[in-house]
Amino acid sequence: MSLVRYVNKKTGWVSIYESTSYYDPIKKASRPKRTYIGYEDPVTKEFVPSSGKPGRKKSNDSSKNTSFGSSVTEYGKLLKELEKKQKENEKLTLQIASMNEQMNTLCRAVNEFKSTLDTIISSGKH
């Protein structure tokens, strides 16, 4: 068992792995099995052990909601709200169509009244 250091040339970070050799009978050669154990702090050059858990650490910031389950529930809430708004939109569209019909009916009645009034006025003058 030995420690292996990998230096990322772009960032300068040093990752430290524990390397254990084992014999591979298929390739008939010795192969390393490496396990990540931490990194070296670039400023203080001290070893910082890993948490032992795979993946990224979860943020403590409650404003960032990155967990999968909560994003699904948020998506569901947004979808329900969208459906509600679409139904309201359909109702308003029907109301607008009904009001347009009523306005056209009133315009025809006003035009008929005006033409009737014009004929009465013109018949009274002559």
Side-chain angles (χ1 to χ4, degrees):
M1 177 172 75
S2 63
L3 296 180
V4 179
R5 299 175 70 218
Y6 284 107
V7 179
N8 185 331
K9 292 179 183 178
K10 291 182 181 177
T11 62
W13 284 78
V14 179
S15 300
I16 302 173
Y17 292 84
E18 182 179 69
S19 179
T20 311
S21 296
Y22 71 97
Y23 181 74
D24 187 357
I26 297 171
K27 294 188 178 183
K28 297 182 181 178
S30 180
R31 297 282 173 209
K33 179 175 181 178
R34 295 187 178 122
T35 307
Y36 177 75
I37 59 171
Y39 66 95
E40 185 179 281
D41 190 298
V43 177
T44 62
K45 303 293 183 197
E46 293 181 5
F47 173 73
V48 179
S50 73
S51 65
K53 297 179 182 177
R56 293 183 177 212
K57 294 179 183 175
K58 291 187 178 178
S59 174
N60 291 336
D61 188 9
S62 62
S63 66
K64 293 181 180 178
N65 204 353
T66 58
S67 65
F68 180 74
S70 63
S71 64
V72 169
T73 55
E74 288 294 319
Y75 177 74
K77 288 178 184 177
L78 289 173
L79 190 61
K80 286 180 183 177
E81 188 175 329
L82 177 65
E83 289 172 353
K84 183 180 175 182
K85 295 290 183 183
Q86 285 176 336
K87 287 179 183 178
E88 288 178 14
N89 190 18
E90 289 173 7
K91 286 180 183 177
L92 290 173
T93 303
L94 290 174
Q95 285 180 352
I96 289 171
S98 173
M99 288 180 175
N100 278 338
E101 288 177 20
Q102 291 175 359
M103 188 175 68
N104 288 337
T105 305
L106 286 173
C107 284
R108 276 186 249 120
V110 167
N111 285 336
E112 286 176 17
F113 179 74
K114 183 181 175 188
S115 64
T116 307
L117 190 60
D118 285 342
T119 55
I120 293 172
I121 291 173
S122 63
S123 65
K125 286 186 179 179
H126 292 288

